[in-house]
Amino acid sequence: MKITFEKALDIFHYPFFKLLRTAHEIHVQNFDEQSVQISDILSVKTGGCSEDCSYCAQSVRNGAKMEKQPMLDLETVLKSARKAKERGVSRFCMSASGRCMSSNAEFEKICEMVKAVKALGLETCVTLGFLTENQATKLKESGLDYYNHNVDTSPEFYHNIASTRTIDDRIRTIEIVQKAGVNVCSGGIVGMGETNEDRIKMLVLLANLKTHPRCVPLNKLVKIPGTRVDDSNPIDDFDFVRMIALARILMPKSYVKIAAGRNTLSESTQALCIFAGANALFSSEKLLTVDNMKDNVDRKLFDRLNINVEQFNG
Ligand code: SAM
Ligand code: SF4
């Protein structure tokens, strides 16, 4: 059944504790409430991107100071993946800057990375921009478990954050990935100047896809000096918790991930997010080009909340 914006708006504005209770009840019906899934992410190709995404340090059209790093070699990627596995991470994500893969040779290297990381006993995820059907099939054959492709914001606000692509382009790639049988990881960024209504519309869009994304990451904008949104107002913490709760209610069986910007949330706010249904996190100290959480800080928080880290038994 289609979710209407009006219904989602109504849920978002439930009294705070009613919203938390509703989301938590749905969470325990679908997941182990004491368990979170942890991913690590590595930028395998950085900077030099010709797209104009307003938030991104890697766009050449922004004034952010960013060193370009060509595609990493396989051994460097594997070294990082082995370290992630030793830290108890179950999924290893590899991110490449750019609108799409710039050549077939580059794409083949990514397929080799996926095969080799999978062989270490880790779940695999890549984010490479737009994909063709052929590429999606080849990634699936290489052992890819997840493809990240964020819609980033509402259809109405999208033109404020990028002019070199449309949200419909993004949705096309999501459908291509789903058709190839790869799990989709798709969410967005909050705090770029959009309203709560835009944030709700983004979740309604995701909830109305033919198949819900298996994972819905919510990024708090990490302000990069020199980008076009470096002076926008951050989201209020309680509104962020409301977003998590709404995502959990609208997409009961999806993992809801607190992605970038988690290091700006207090431990108590993170605990509220987990109660409201967040059950996936990034644990790497770097998220592509920006700082994230220290592993020992996370482990202490998990211990205090009696949280177990989900293991991958693939
Ligand atoms: N180039 C590919 C693409 O655009 O899909 C993959 C890499 S891109 C860096 C991956 C995602 O990181 C973006 O879709 C965006 O949601 C997120 N991201 C980038 N910069 C961010 C920032 N400053 N704060 C929060 N999230 C950010
Ligand atoms: Fe390029 Fe992706 Fe950054 Fe957009 S989000 S500028 S496509 S690297």
Side-chain angles (χ1 to χ4, degrees):
M1 196 179 60
K2 284 244 176 216
I3 305 290
T4 63
F5 168 69
E6 289 71 24
K7 178 67 193 157
L9 183 70
D10 179 46
I11 297 171
F12 184 86
H13 287 298
Y14 276 178
F16 190 67
F17 294 121
K18 175 179 172 182
L19 177 63
L20 288 194
R21 177 170 47 77
T22 309
H24 188 72
E25 276 168 9
I26 290 176
H27 187 53
V28 295
Q29 283 161 17
N30 292 285
F31 289 98
D32 171 2
E33 64 182 314
Q34 295 305 137
S35 181
V36 292
Q37 186 277 323
I38 305 288
S39 303
D40 206 324
I41 186 164
L42 175 70
S43 182
V44 298
K45 180 187 164 200
T46 310
C49 180
S50 57
E51 295 288 283
D52 70 351
C53 311
S54 62
Y55 49 79
C56 186
Q58 307 198 55
S59 166
V60 291
R61 304 188 196 214
N62 284 326
K65 289 196 187 81
M66 159 67 43
E67 231 165 83
K68 195 174 163 187
Q69 162 75 61
M71 184 79 80
L72 298 178
D73 60 66
L74 181 60
E75 204 32 59
T76 307
V77 173
L78 282 179
K79 208 169 142 194
S80 181
R82 281 189 205 104
K83 272 196 190 153
K85 190 163 187 223
E86 279 162 21
R87 289 194 299 112
V89 162
S90 60
R91 188 177 312 151
F92 190 72
C93 309
M94 293 160 272
S95 166
S97 62
R99 179 180 170 82
C100 55
M101 288 280 91
S102 63
S103 67
N104 201 35
E106 193 173 59
F107 178 71
E108 292 299 332
K109 278 189 192 168
I110 296 280
C111 292
E112 290 309 311
M113 289 175 193
V114 170
K115 278 183 207 155
V117 170
K118 182 89 178 172
L120 293 179
L122 284 161
E123 274 188 313
T124 53
C125 175
V126 293
T127 179
L128 315 170
F130 296 123
L131 280 189
T132 63
E133 286 193 17
N134 243 341
Q135 286 174 327
T137 306
K138 280 200 179 137
L139 285 169
K140 171 76 183 168
E141 288 166 1
S142 304
L144 187 69
D145 297 298
Y146 282 80
Y147 193 82
N148 165 266
H149 200 65
N150 294 329
V151 294
D152 279 342
T153 191
S154 69
E156 291 78 358
F157 194 72
Y158 201 84
H159 69 276
N160 291 296
I161 65 148
S163 73
T164 48
R165 60 198 195 186
T166 66
I167 200 163
D168 288 339
D169 297 331
R170 298 293 277 182
I171 293 167
R172 247 189 308 280
T173 284
I174 289 173
E175 287 171 350
I176 285 173
V177 171
Q178 287 177 331
K179 197 171 151 209
V182 175
N183 291 304
V184 161
C185 169
S186 184
I189 310 179
V190 291
M192 300 186 292
E194 75 291 338
T195 60
N196 273 338
E197 282 70 23
D198 286 308
R199 296 165 186 158
I200 295 164
K201 283 177 184 162
M202 174 183 86
L203 291 181
V204 169
L205 167 76
L206 293 168
N208 283 332
L209 292 174
K210 265 186 237 129
T211 308
H212 290 167
R214 181 70 178 131
C215 176
V216 179
L218 296 178
N219 295 281
K220 262 188 87 182
L221 175 72
V222 180
K223 290 184 186 176
I224 314 280
T227 57
R228 302 198 301 287
V229 285
D230 64 2
D231 62 349
S232 54
N233 287 329
I235 185 171
D236 170 79
D237 278 359
F238 290 114
D239 284 347
F240 189 76
V241 178
R242 283 181 184 274
M243 282 287 288
I244 296 276
L246 182 62
R248 166 56 59 230
I249 293 167
L250 298 187
M251 292 168 276
K253 294 187 187 300
S254 303
Y255 282 83
V256 176
K257 182 181 273 190
I258 318 174
R262 185 160 63 88
N263 55 358
T264 66
L265 297 174
S266 69
E267 290 190 328
S268 321
T269 306
Q270 290 183 54
L272 275 180
C273 287
I274 293 171
F275 185 79
N279 59 349
L281 305 168
F282 278 118
S283 79
S284 43
E285 291 190 8
K286 279 260 175 219
L287 281 186
L288 305 181
T289 62
V290 298
D291 289 339
N292 187 40
M293 303 296 293
K294 296 247 178 287
D295 191 47
N296 57 349
V297 175
D298 269 349
R299 298 287 156 172
K300 271 189 205 149
L301 177 63
F302 299 160
D303 282 350
R304 285 157 74 201
L305 299 177
N306 314 103
I307 294 277
N308 306 308
V309 172
E310 211 174 87
Q311 302 298 313
F312 173 56
N313 301 314

